[in-house]
Every structure is written in C-alpha cells, then in structure tokens.
Amino acid sequence: MTQMPTTKHRLGLRSVAFLLALCTLPALPASAQQPLTPLKVGISDAVNTVLPFWMAQAGGFFAANGLEVELVNTGGGSRGAQEVQAGKLDIMHVGLSSVVRINRSGGDLRLVASMSNVIRFTFFSGEGVKTAADLKGGVVGVSTFGSESDSTVTLALERLKLTRADITLKEYGGSAQRLAALKSGEIKATAINEPVASLAREQAVNVLVDLLPEQIPWLFSGVVIRRSDLRARPGVIGRFLKAAIEGNHLGLTNEKLAKEVLAKELKLTDSRIIDISYTDFKLQTPRNMESSIKGAENVIAQIGGEGSTRVEDYVDPTLTGTLRDGGFFNVMERKYSAR
C-alpha cells in the first residue's frame, strides 16, 4: 500500500536530530530512568485495532520509553477527538473522519500514525430488514456523529442505492451498545467491527453489506494529536509511537500473548471469537503503523463539502518517517523476525 512521504522539515532540524537519536537508544534500566511522563490516551471503543496499545502495556514498552500511559474509553471516536482538541486528552485512537470534521470547524489535529489502512466494518440489519426497501425510512445507529461508523454508513448505503436522506442517524455509543439496540429493534441497521461483528454473526444477525472484503483504502483507525504537540513535544509523541509500534510487532509475532491480551481487554471467553479477532488484526494492521495516502484521500473525498482537501492539513507522517529513516523499523524487524 502506498505510504505518505517523509517531511522532516516540519519539525525543524533539532527535533529531527533528537528523534533520530531516539530511534536507536536502548531502554534504560528502571533504576536509571527519570520520572515517567504521564499521557492520557483515548480509545474509541474496546476493539481489536487497539491491540498495539494493549501489547505495549503488556510488554512494558511505554514505561521503557519513559511514559506512564492511561487508556480511557471515550465511547466514540469523534467524541475523543474533540477531547484531544480541547486538551483533555493527549492522544486519541480514532480514524481520519473525525480529524477532517474537527479541523474544518476550526480545529488543528493531525493523524500521525495508522493502525488500520482499510475499512473494517460490516453493516448489520435488524429483524425483518433484508433489503434496501426494508431499511428506507429507518434509524441507523452510529457510535458518534462524525466518526468512522458515521462516515462509512454512506458507503454502505451507496451499495444499497440509498443516500443518507433515506434514513435517520442516531448516536448509540460503542459496538456492543449498537448491537443491543439492533437486536431490541431500536434501530434498523448499524456498522460494526471486530470482535462484536463476530458475535453478531454468531447470533445470526443479518449482514446487509460487508465492506471488509472490499479492502477499501481508508484511515480507519490512527494515532491523533494536536498539531501544537507535534511541534512542542515531538520527543514525547515519538516515544509513544516507538512503544506502540513495538507493541504492534509483539502482537503480530506472539500469537499466544496477543490472544490472552485480547481476551482480557475485550472480555472474551469464546476461543473462536478470539481467534477471529486476532486473525482480523493480523491481516489488517500496518506493521509499522505508516499511513496510506490513498486511504486519506478516500476519507476526505467521501466527506466532501467545503474545506481543505489537502491531505497534509489532516495527516502528518513526519514522526513515522523519522523512525523509519533512523533505523527503528529495521531494529524492530531484527528483534521480532526470529519469533
């Protein structure tokens, strides 16, 4: 998948040199470490795209990089992105749709790394809703307005030859809440990803449109920060990315531990659902969390409307580019290739 070019000049030569040095520094022993820097990090929902963060915690990579990370479930991506813009969160696990909408309303966020470069949603429908005609005029649930579950509804409706004017959108929170609303008849359809998508299939919930097999390029889930932090704290954000990328490598190469972490964090006991969630993660996650240009372009085009259509106004690949050019990705490949 095509990746965004490196743009080191945005951070300034001193910041780039500092980050390059960071790439090859080994973790300090606990006794030699300075006090940990606290970071409050939001996640949009308990879903398998969060696994790099959870694995970084399990592997002790945040602490090894001098960070004390608190993960907070915001119950929706756009809500969390707004909290980042307001300074209530340092970092958010969220797709590009929220960044585009907030920046066009006067915000200044940037997606700096990706945990999924394709759409991961399946569009499920409730009892008696088997066709476009059955769905027309009904309520469709999304996590929050402006989130990926909101933006990708448009794509699912297009497959059904419907538009957003043909349905009513309502916010229902995370995937589990949306599935419950679907089964109770409160809503007629909703877009859900793993692991709740597999639970829905197991419960014989009808699949109206499955977007996952299409592998549509999309910045579905990423690391989002304020642009001011990219300028003021590149070292802190860079260390966070180092830990998360190593967590990603650990998740990809240590299947047993990754499944144990997924089971714990997603509160799963069904081994089959755990297996599906892990396989989905392994197939879809970009190994070094680099962002797709085409994915960014598709999100911007899908949202449409007025405002900038320039990818650089929403996505900044400086940090991942610096880590790549500084040799950190090669270090990760050597460390985890034998596993």
Short mmCIF file of all heavy atoms in Angstrom, two decimals, residues 192-256:
data_model
loop_
_atom_site.label_atom_id
_atom_site.label_comp_id
_atom_site.label_asym_id
_atom_site.label_seq_id
_atom_site.Cartn_x
_atom_site.Cartn_y
_atom_site.Cartn_z
N ILE A 192 -20.54 -2.40 12.34
CA ILE A 192 -19.85 -2.97 13.50
C ILE A 192 -18.55 -3.63 13.03
O ILE A 192 -18.51 -4.25 11.96
CB ILE A 192 -20.74 -4.01 14.22
CG1 ILE A 192 -22.02 -3.35 14.75
CG2 ILE A 192 -19.98 -4.69 15.36
CD1 ILE A 192 -23.01 -4.34 15.34
N ASN A 193 -17.49 -3.52 13.85
CA ASN A 193 -16.25 -4.24 13.56
C ASN A 193 -15.91 -5.22 14.67
O ASN A 193 -16.70 -5.40 15.60
CB ASN A 193 -15.10 -3.25 13.27
CG ASN A 193 -14.80 -2.32 14.41
OD1 ASN A 193 -15.69 -1.86 15.12
ND2 ASN A 193 -13.54 -2.00 14.59
N GLU A 194 -14.75 -5.88 14.55
CA GLU A 194 -14.39 -6.95 15.48
C GLU A 194 -14.02 -6.39 16.87
O GLU A 194 -13.46 -5.30 16.98
CB GLU A 194 -13.20 -7.75 14.94
CG GLU A 194 -13.49 -8.51 13.67
CD GLU A 194 -14.56 -9.59 13.82
OE1 GLU A 194 -14.91 -9.93 14.97
OE2 GLU A 194 -15.03 -10.07 12.79
N PRO A 195 -14.38 -7.17 17.92
CA PRO A 195 -14.89 -8.55 17.89
C PRO A 195 -16.42 -8.66 17.86
O PRO A 195 -16.95 -9.75 17.72
CB PRO A 195 -14.37 -9.11 19.21
CG PRO A 195 -14.44 -7.93 20.15
CD PRO A 195 -14.06 -6.74 19.31
N VAL A 196 -17.11 -7.52 18.00
CA VAL A 196 -18.57 -7.58 18.10
C VAL A 196 -19.19 -8.05 16.79
O VAL A 196 -20.25 -8.68 16.79
CB VAL A 196 -19.14 -6.21 18.54
CG1 VAL A 196 -20.66 -6.24 18.62
CG2 VAL A 196 -18.56 -5.82 19.90
N ALA A 197 -18.51 -7.81 15.67
CA ALA A 197 -19.03 -8.30 14.38
C ALA A 197 -19.16 -9.82 14.39
O ALA A 197 -20.16 -10.38 13.90
CB ALA A 197 -18.13 -7.85 13.24
N SER A 198 -18.19 -10.51 14.95
CA SER A 198 -18.26 -11.98 15.02
C SER A 198 -19.34 -12.44 15.99
O SER A 198 -20.01 -13.45 15.76
CB SER A 198 -16.90 -12.55 15.43
OG SER A 198 -15.98 -12.43 14.37
N LEU A 199 -19.51 -11.70 17.06
CA LEU A 199 -20.60 -12.03 17.99
C LEU A 199 -21.95 -11.87 17.30
O LEU A 199 -22.86 -12.69 17.48
CB LEU A 199 -20.54 -11.12 19.22
CG LEU A 199 -19.33 -11.32 20.16
CD1 LEU A 199 -19.29 -10.20 21.20
CD2 LEU A 199 -19.39 -12.67 20.83
N ALA A 200 -22.08 -10.83 16.48
CA ALA A 200 -23.33 -10.62 15.75
C ALA A 200 -23.59 -11.75 14.77
O ALA A 200 -24.71 -12.26 14.66
CB ALA A 200 -23.28 -9.28 15.01
N ARG A 201 -22.55 -12.17 14.05
CA ARG A 201 -22.72 -13.29 13.12
C ARG A 201 -23.09 -14.57 13.86
O ARG A 201 -23.93 -15.35 13.40
CB ARG A 201 -21.41 -13.52 12.34
CG ARG A 201 -21.07 -12.41 11.35
CD ARG A 201 -19.73 -12.69 10.69
NE ARG A 201 -19.21 -11.57 9.94
CZ ARG A 201 -19.49 -11.30 8.67
NH1 ARG A 201 -20.30 -12.11 8.00
NH2 ARG A 201 -18.95 -10.26 8.05
N GLU A 202 -22.47 -14.79 15.02
CA GLU A 202 -22.76 -15.99 15.81
C GLU A 202 -24.21 -16.00 16.28
O GLU A 202 -24.82 -17.06 16.42
CB GLU A 202 -21.81 -16.03 17.02
CG GLU A 202 -21.84 -17.34 17.77
CD GLU A 202 -20.77 -17.37 18.85
OE1 GLU A 202 -20.89 -16.59 19.82
OE2 GLU A 202 -19.82 -18.16 18.72
N GLN A 203 -24.76 -14.80 16.49
CA GLN A 203 -26.16 -14.68 16.93
C GLN A 203 -27.13 -14.57 15.75
O GLN A 203 -28.29 -14.24 15.93
CB GLN A 203 -26.29 -13.46 17.84
CG GLN A 203 -25.49 -13.60 19.13
CD GLN A 203 -25.35 -12.30 19.90
OE1 GLN A 203 -26.10 -11.34 19.67
NE2 GLN A 203 -24.39 -12.25 20.80
N ALA A 204 -26.61 -14.87 14.54
CA ALA A 204 -27.42 -14.92 13.31
C ALA A 204 -28.03 -13.57 12.95
O ALA A 204 -29.11 -13.51 12.35
CB ALA A 204 -28.50 -15.98 13.42
N VAL A 205 -27.35 -12.48 13.31
CA VAL A 205 -27.81 -11.16 12.89
C VAL A 205 -27.52 -11.01 11.40
O VAL A 205 -26.46 -11.39 10.91
CB VAL A 205 -27.11 -10.05 13.70
CG1 VAL A 205 -27.56 -8.67 13.25
CG2 VAL A 205 -27.38 -10.22 15.20
N ASN A 206 -28.45 -10.44 10.68
CA ASN A 206 -28.34 -10.36 9.22
C ASN A 206 -27.25 -9.39 8.77
O ASN A 206 -27.13 -8.29 9.28
CB ASN A 206 -29.68 -9.89 8.63
CG ASN A 206 -29.65 -9.86 7.10
OD1 ASN A 206 -29.43 -10.89 6.47
ND2 ASN A 206 -29.87 -8.70 6.51
N VAL A 207 -26.43 -9.84 7.81
CA VAL A 207 -25.44 -8.97 7.18
C VAL A 207 -26.08 -8.34 5.95
O VAL A 207 -26.45 -9.02 5.01
CB VAL A 207 -24.18 -9.76 6.77
CG1 VAL A 207 -23.24 -8.88 5.96
CG2 VAL A 207 -23.47 -10.32 8.00
N LEU A 208 -26.20 -7.01 5.97
CA LEU A 208 -26.80 -6.31 4.85
C LEU A 208 -25.74 -5.92 3.81
O LEU A 208 -25.93 -6.10 2.61
CB LEU A 208 -27.53 -5.06 5.36
CG LEU A 208 -28.63 -4.48 4.47
CD1 LEU A 208 -29.69 -5.53 4.13
CD2 LEU A 208 -29.28 -3.28 5.15
N VAL A 209 -24.60 -5.41 4.30
CA VAL A 209 -23.47 -5.05 3.43
C VAL A 209 -22.18 -5.34 4.19
O VAL A 209 -22.02 -4.86 5.32
CB VAL A 209 -23.49 -3.55 3.03
CG1 VAL A 209 -22.28 -3.22 2.15
CG2 VAL A 209 -24.77 -3.18 2.33
N ASP A 210 -21.27 -6.10 3.59
CA ASP A 210 -19.98 -6.36 4.23
C ASP A 210 -18.90 -5.58 3.48
O ASP A 210 -18.54 -5.91 2.35
CB ASP A 210 -19.66 -7.86 4.20
CG ASP A 210 -18.52 -8.21 5.16
OD1 ASP A 210 -17.89 -7.28 5.70
OD2 ASP A 210 -18.26 -9.41 5.35
N LEU A 211 -18.40 -4.53 4.12
CA LEU A 211 -17.40 -3.67 3.48
C LEU A 211 -15.98 -4.21 3.62
O LEU A 211 -15.10 -3.86 2.83
CB LEU A 211 -17.46 -2.26 4.08
CG LEU A 211 -18.75 -1.48 3.82
CD1 LEU A 211 -18.76 -0.19 4.65
CD2 LEU A 211 -18.90 -1.15 2.34
N LEU A 212 -15.73 -5.07 4.61
CA LEU A 212 -14.37 -5.56 4.85
C LEU A 212 -13.75 -6.26 3.65
O LEU A 212 -12.60 -5.98 3.30
CB LEU A 212 -14.34 -6.46 6.09
CG LEU A 212 -12.96 -7.04 6.46
CD1 LEU A 212 -11.94 -5.92 6.69
CD2 LEU A 212 -13.08 -7.91 7.71
N PRO A 213 -14.45 -7.19 2.98
CA PRO A 213 -13.82 -7.88 1.84
C PRO A 213 -13.41 -6.95 0.71
O PRO A 213 -12.54 -7.30 -0.10
CB PRO A 213 -14.91 -8.86 1.37
CG PRO A 213 -15.78 -9.06 2.56
CD PRO A 213 -15.79 -7.74 3.26
N GLU A 214 -14.00 -5.76 0.64
CA GLU A 214 -13.65 -4.83 -0.43
C GLU A 214 -12.27 -4.20 -0.21
O GLU A 214 -11.68 -3.66 -1.16
CB GLU A 214 -14.70 -3.72 -0.53
CG GLU A 214 -16.09 -4.21 -0.94
CD GLU A 214 -17.04 -3.05 -1.18
OE1 GLU A 214 -16.60 -2.03 -1.77
OE2 GLU A 214 -18.22 -3.17 -0.78
N GLN A 215 -11.76 -4.26 1.04
CA GLN A 215 -10.44 -3.71 1.36
C GLN A 215 -10.30 -2.27 0.84
O GLN A 215 -9.34 -1.90 0.15
CB GLN A 215 -9.33 -4.59 0.79
CG GLN A 215 -9.22 -5.96 1.45
CD GLN A 215 -8.67 -5.89 2.86
OE1 GLN A 215 -7.48 -5.70 3.06
NE2 GLN A 215 -9.56 -6.02 3.85
N ILE A 216 -11.26 -1.44 1.17
CA ILE A 216 -11.28 -0.05 0.72
C ILE A 216 -10.21 0.74 1.48
O ILE A 216 -10.23 0.80 2.71
CB ILE A 216 -12.66 0.59 0.98
CG1 ILE A 216 -13.76 -0.21 0.27
CG2 ILE A 216 -12.68 2.04 0.54
CD1 ILE A 216 -15.15 0.14 0.72
N PRO A 217 -9.24 1.34 0.77
CA PRO A 217 -8.23 2.15 1.47
C PRO A 217 -8.90 3.26 2.28
O PRO A 217 -9.73 4.01 1.76
CB PRO A 217 -7.39 2.72 0.33
CG PRO A 217 -7.56 1.74 -0.80
CD PRO A 217 -8.98 1.28 -0.68
N TRP A 218 -8.50 3.37 3.55
CA TRP A 218 -9.19 4.29 4.47
C TRP A 218 -8.34 4.43 5.71
O TRP A 218 -7.79 3.43 6.21
CB TRP A 218 -10.54 3.68 4.85
CG TRP A 218 -11.56 4.60 5.43
CD1 TRP A 218 -11.76 4.90 6.75
CD2 TRP A 218 -12.55 5.34 4.71
NE1 TRP A 218 -12.81 5.77 6.90
CE2 TRP A 218 -13.32 6.06 5.65
CE3 TRP A 218 -12.88 5.48 3.37
CZ2 TRP A 218 -14.38 6.89 5.30
CZ3 TRP A 218 -13.92 6.30 3.00
CH2 TRP A 218 -14.66 7.00 3.95
N LEU A 219 -8.18 5.62 6.23
CA LEU A 219 -7.51 5.76 7.52
C LEU A 219 -8.56 5.54 8.61
O LEU A 219 -9.13 6.47 9.17
CB LEU A 219 -6.83 7.13 7.64
CG LEU A 219 -5.60 7.28 6.76
CD1 LEU A 219 -4.89 8.60 7.04
CD2 LEU A 219 -4.62 6.14 6.94
N PHE A 220 -8.78 4.27 8.88
CA PHE A 220 -9.89 3.81 9.70
C PHE A 220 -9.62 3.99 11.19
O PHE A 220 -10.52 4.26 11.98
CB PHE A 220 -10.14 2.32 9.40
CG PHE A 220 -11.30 1.71 10.11
CD1 PHE A 220 -12.59 1.94 9.67
CD2 PHE A 220 -11.11 0.88 11.20
CE1 PHE A 220 -13.67 1.37 10.32
CE2 PHE A 220 -12.18 0.31 11.86
CZ PHE A 220 -13.47 0.54 11.41
N SER A 221 -8.36 3.83 11.56
CA SER A 221 -8.00 3.91 12.98
C SER A 221 -6.56 4.40 13.08
O SER A 221 -5.66 3.78 12.51
CB SER A 221 -8.14 2.52 13.63
OG SER A 221 -7.73 2.56 14.97
N GLY A 222 -6.35 5.49 13.79
CA GLY A 222 -4.99 6.04 13.85
C GLY A 222 -4.67 6.70 15.16
O GLY A 222 -5.47 6.70 16.11
N VAL A 223 -3.47 7.26 15.23
CA VAL A 223 -3.00 8.00 16.39
C VAL A 223 -3.14 9.48 16.07
O VAL A 223 -2.50 9.99 15.15
CB VAL A 223 -1.52 7.67 16.70
CG1 VAL A 223 -1.01 8.51 17.87
CG2 VAL A 223 -1.37 6.17 17.00
N VAL A 224 -3.99 10.17 16.82
CA VAL A 224 -4.31 11.57 16.54
C VAL A 224 -3.87 12.46 17.70
O VAL A 224 -4.12 12.13 18.87
CB VAL A 224 -5.82 11.74 16.26
CG1 VAL A 224 -6.21 13.21 16.20
CG2 VAL A 224 -6.18 11.04 14.95
N ILE A 225 -3.22 13.57 17.37
CA ILE A 225 -2.74 14.52 18.38
C ILE A 225 -3.04 15.94 17.92
O ILE A 225 -3.45 16.17 16.78
CB ILE A 225 -1.22 14.37 18.61
CG1 ILE A 225 -0.46 14.70 17.31
CG2 ILE A 225 -0.88 12.98 19.10
CD1 ILE A 225 1.04 14.77 17.48
N ARG A 226 -2.84 16.90 18.81
CA ARG A 226 -2.88 18.30 18.41
C ARG A 226 -1.59 18.64 17.65
O ARG A 226 -0.51 18.19 18.01
CB ARG A 226 -2.98 19.22 19.64
CG ARG A 226 -4.29 19.14 20.38
CD ARG A 226 -4.30 20.03 21.62
NE ARG A 226 -3.32 19.59 22.60
CZ ARG A 226 -3.51 18.61 23.48
NH1 ARG A 226 -4.67 17.95 23.49
NH2 ARG A 226 -2.58 18.27 24.34
N ARG A 227 -1.70 19.46 16.62
CA ARG A 227 -0.51 19.84 15.86
C ARG A 227 0.47 20.60 16.75
O ARG A 227 1.69 20.50 16.57
CB ARG A 227 -0.87 20.69 14.64
CG ARG A 227 0.34 20.93 13.73
CD ARG A 227 -0.04 21.55 12.42
NE ARG A 227 -0.57 22.90 12.56
CZ ARG A 227 -0.41 23.86 11.66
NH1 ARG A 227 0.27 23.62 10.54
NH2 ARG A 227 -0.94 25.05 11.84
N SER A 228 -0.04 21.34 17.72
CA SER A 228 0.85 22.06 18.64
C SER A 228 1.75 21.11 19.41
O SER A 228 2.91 21.42 19.69
CB SER A 228 0.04 22.92 19.61
OG SER A 228 -0.85 22.12 20.38
N ASP A 229 1.24 19.91 19.75
CA ASP A 229 2.07 18.93 20.45
C ASP A 229 3.10 18.32 19.52
O ASP A 229 4.19 17.92 19.96
CB ASP A 229 1.19 17.82 21.04
CG ASP A 229 0.55 18.24 22.35
OD1 ASP A 229 0.96 19.28 22.90
OD2 ASP A 229 -0.37 17.56 22.82
N LEU A 230 2.78 18.22 18.25
CA LEU A 230 3.76 17.72 17.28
C LEU A 230 4.96 18.66 17.23
O LEU A 230 6.10 18.22 17.06
CB LEU A 230 3.11 17.61 15.90
CG LEU A 230 3.94 17.00 14.77
CD1 LEU A 230 4.33 15.57 15.10
CD2 LEU A 230 3.17 17.05 13.46
N ARG A 231 4.69 19.95 17.40
CA ARG A 231 5.77 20.94 17.38
C ARG A 231 6.46 21.05 18.74
O ARG A 231 7.69 21.19 18.81
CB ARG A 231 5.20 22.30 17.00
CG ARG A 231 4.68 22.37 15.57
CD ARG A 231 3.88 23.64 15.35
NE ARG A 231 3.56 23.87 13.94
CZ ARG A 231 2.77 24.83 13.50
NH1 ARG A 231 2.20 25.65 14.36
NH2 ARG A 231 2.54 24.97 12.22
N ALA A 232 5.67 21.02 19.82
CA ALA A 232 6.22 21.29 21.15
C ALA A 232 6.78 20.05 21.83
O ALA A 232 7.72 20.16 22.64
CB ALA A 232 5.14 21.91 22.03
N ARG A 233 6.21 18.87 21.55
CA ARG A 233 6.64 17.65 22.25
C ARG A 233 6.91 16.50 21.28
O ARG A 233 6.40 15.39 21.48
CB ARG A 233 5.56 17.23 23.25
CG ARG A 233 5.22 18.29 24.29
CD ARG A 233 4.56 17.68 25.50
NE ARG A 233 3.27 17.08 25.19
CZ ARG A 233 2.58 16.29 26.02
NH1 ARG A 233 3.08 15.97 27.19
NH2 ARG A 233 1.40 15.82 25.68
N PRO A 234 7.71 16.71 20.25
CA PRO A 234 7.94 15.62 19.30
C PRO A 234 8.62 14.41 19.94
O PRO A 234 8.38 13.28 19.56
CB PRO A 234 8.84 16.26 18.23
CG PRO A 234 9.52 17.39 18.94
CD PRO A 234 8.51 17.92 19.89
N GLY A 235 9.48 14.68 20.96
CA GLY A 235 10.16 13.57 21.62
C GLY A 235 9.20 12.68 22.37
O GLY A 235 9.28 11.44 22.29
N VAL A 236 8.25 13.29 23.10
CA VAL A 236 7.26 12.51 23.87
C VAL A 236 6.37 11.71 22.92
O VAL A 236 6.14 10.51 23.13
CB VAL A 236 6.41 13.45 24.76
CG1 VAL A 236 5.26 12.68 25.40
CG2 VAL A 236 7.28 14.08 25.83
N ILE A 237 5.86 12.37 21.88
CA ILE A 237 4.99 11.67 20.93
C ILE A 237 5.78 10.60 20.19
O ILE A 237 5.28 9.50 19.93
CB ILE A 237 4.35 12.66 19.94
CG1 ILE A 237 3.62 13.79 20.68
CG2 ILE A 237 3.38 11.92 19.01
CD1 ILE A 237 2.53 13.34 21.62
N GLY A 238 7.02 10.90 19.85
CA GLY A 238 7.87 9.91 19.19
C GLY A 238 8.09 8.68 20.05
O GLY A 238 8.07 7.55 19.56
N ARG A 239 8.29 8.89 21.35
CA ARG A 239 8.47 7.74 22.26
C ARG A 239 7.18 6.93 22.40
O ARG A 239 7.21 5.70 22.50
CB ARG A 239 8.96 8.23 23.63
CG ARG A 239 10.44 8.61 23.62
CD ARG A 239 10.96 8.93 25.00
NE ARG A 239 10.69 10.30 25.39
CZ ARG A 239 10.09 10.65 26.53
NH1 ARG A 239 9.68 9.73 27.39
NH2 ARG A 239 9.89 11.92 26.82
N PHE A 240 6.05 7.63 22.38
CA PHE A 240 4.78 6.91 22.40
C PHE A 240 4.65 6.02 21.16
O PHE A 240 4.26 4.85 21.25
CB PHE A 240 3.61 7.88 22.47
CG PHE A 240 2.26 7.20 22.42
CD1 PHE A 240 1.67 6.72 23.58
CD2 PHE A 240 1.61 6.99 21.21
CE1 PHE A 240 0.45 6.05 23.54
CE2 PHE A 240 0.39 6.33 21.16
CZ PHE A 240 -0.20 5.86 22.32
N LEU A 241 4.99 6.57 20.00
CA LEU A 241 4.90 5.78 18.76
C LEU A 241 5.87 4.61 18.77
O LEU A 241 5.54 3.52 18.30
CB LEU A 241 5.16 6.67 17.55
CG LEU A 241 4.05 7.66 17.18
CD1 LEU A 241 4.40 8.38 15.88
CD2 LEU A 241 2.70 6.97 17.04
N LYS A 242 7.07 4.82 19.29
CA LYS A 242 8.02 3.71 19.39
C LYS A 242 7.41 2.56 20.18
O LYS A 242 7.50 1.39 19.78
CB LYS A 242 9.32 4.17 20.06
CG LYS A 242 10.27 4.95 19.18
CD LYS A 242 11.55 5.29 19.92
CE LYS A 242 12.35 4.04 20.27
NZ LYS A 242 13.60 4.37 21.01
N ALA A 243 6.82 2.90 21.33
CA ALA A 243 6.22 1.86 22.18
C ALA A 243 5.06 1.17 21.48
O ALA A 243 4.93 -0.05 21.52
CB ALA A 243 5.77 2.48 23.50
N ALA A 244 4.19 1.96 20.82
CA ALA A 244 3.02 1.38 20.15
C ALA A 244 3.44 0.52 18.97
O ALA A 244 2.86 -0.56 18.74
CB ALA A 244 2.09 2.50 19.69
N ILE A 245 4.43 0.97 18.21
CA ILE A 245 4.89 0.17 17.06
C ILE A 245 5.53 -1.13 17.53
O ILE A 245 5.30 -2.19 16.94
CB ILE A 245 5.87 1.00 16.20
CG1 ILE A 245 5.12 2.14 15.50
CG2 ILE A 245 6.58 0.12 15.17
CD1 ILE A 245 6.02 3.19 14.88
N GLU A 246 6.29 -1.06 18.62
CA GLU A 246 6.84 -2.32 19.15
C GLU A 246 5.71 -3.21 19.67
O GLU A 246 5.76 -4.44 19.51
CB GLU A 246 7.86 -2.06 20.26
CG GLU A 246 8.47 -3.36 20.76
CD GLU A 246 9.81 -3.21 21.46
OE1 GLU A 246 10.23 -2.07 21.75
OE2 GLU A 246 10.43 -4.26 21.74
N GLY A 247 4.68 -2.61 20.27
CA GLY A 247 3.52 -3.40 20.69
C GLY A 247 2.87 -4.07 19.51
O GLY A 247 2.42 -5.23 19.59
N ASN A 248 2.82 -3.38 18.38
CA ASN A 248 2.25 -3.95 17.16
C ASN A 248 3.07 -5.15 16.70
O ASN A 248 2.52 -6.20 16.35
CB ASN A 248 2.22 -2.87 16.07
CG ASN A 248 1.15 -3.13 15.02
OD1 ASN A 248 0.06 -3.59 15.33
ND2 ASN A 248 1.47 -2.81 13.78
N HIS A 249 4.40 -5.00 16.69
CA HIS A 249 5.27 -6.11 16.30
C HIS A 249 5.11 -7.30 17.25
O HIS A 249 5.06 -8.46 16.81
CB HIS A 249 6.73 -5.66 16.28
CG HIS A 249 7.12 -4.93 15.04
ND1 HIS A 249 7.76 -5.56 13.98
CD2 HIS A 249 6.96 -3.65 14.66
CE1 HIS A 249 7.98 -4.68 13.02
NE2 HIS A 249 7.49 -3.51 13.41
N LEU A 250 5.03 -7.03 18.54
CA LEU A 250 4.84 -8.10 19.51
C LEU A 250 3.52 -8.81 19.26
O LEU A 250 3.44 -10.04 19.30
CB LEU A 250 4.89 -7.54 20.93
CG LEU A 250 4.71 -8.55 22.07
CD1 LEU A 250 5.80 -9.61 22.04
CD2 LEU A 250 4.70 -7.83 23.42
N GLY A 251 2.46 -8.03 18.99
CA GLY A 251 1.16 -8.64 18.71
C GLY A 251 1.17 -9.51 17.47
O GLY A 251 0.52 -10.55 17.42
N LEU A 252 1.91 -9.09 16.46
CA LEU A 252 1.98 -9.85 15.21
C LEU A 252 2.79 -11.12 15.34
O LEU A 252 2.57 -12.08 14.59
CB LEU A 252 2.57 -8.97 14.10
CG LEU A 252 1.67 -7.84 13.59
CD1 LEU A 252 2.48 -6.86 12.75
CD2 LEU A 252 0.51 -8.41 12.77
N THR A 253 3.74 -11.16 16.26
CA THR A 253 4.65 -12.30 16.33
C THR A 253 4.44 -13.21 17.54
O THR A 253 4.93 -14.33 17.55
CB THR A 253 6.11 -11.80 16.35
OG1 THR A 253 6.28 -10.86 17.43
CG2 THR A 253 6.46 -11.11 15.04
N ASN A 254 3.72 -12.74 18.55
CA ASN A 254 3.46 -13.57 19.72
C ASN A 254 1.96 -13.80 19.82
O ASN A 254 1.25 -13.11 20.56
CB ASN A 254 3.99 -12.89 20.99
CG ASN A 254 3.98 -13.82 22.19
OD1 ASN A 254 3.13 -14.71 22.30
ND2 ASN A 254 4.92 -13.63 23.10
N GLU A 255 1.48 -14.77 19.04
CA GLU A 255 0.05 -15.02 18.94
C GLU A 255 -0.57 -15.39 20.28
O GLU A 255 -1.66 -14.93 20.62
CB GLU A 255 -0.21 -16.12 17.92
CG GLU A 255 -1.67 -16.44 17.71
CD GLU A 255 -1.90 -17.44 16.58
OE1 GLU A 255 -1.03 -17.55 15.70
OE2 GLU A 255 -2.95 -18.10 16.59
N LYS A 256 0.12 -16.20 21.04
CA LYS A 256 -0.41 -16.65 22.33
C LYS A 256 -0.66 -15.47 23.27
O LYS A 256 -1.75 -15.33 23.83
CB LYS A 256 0.54 -17.64 22.99
CG LYS A 256 0.06 -18.21 24.33
CD LYS A 256 1.04 -19.25 24.86
CE LYS A 256 0.53 -19.87 26.16
NZ LYS A 256 0.45 -18.87 27.26
#
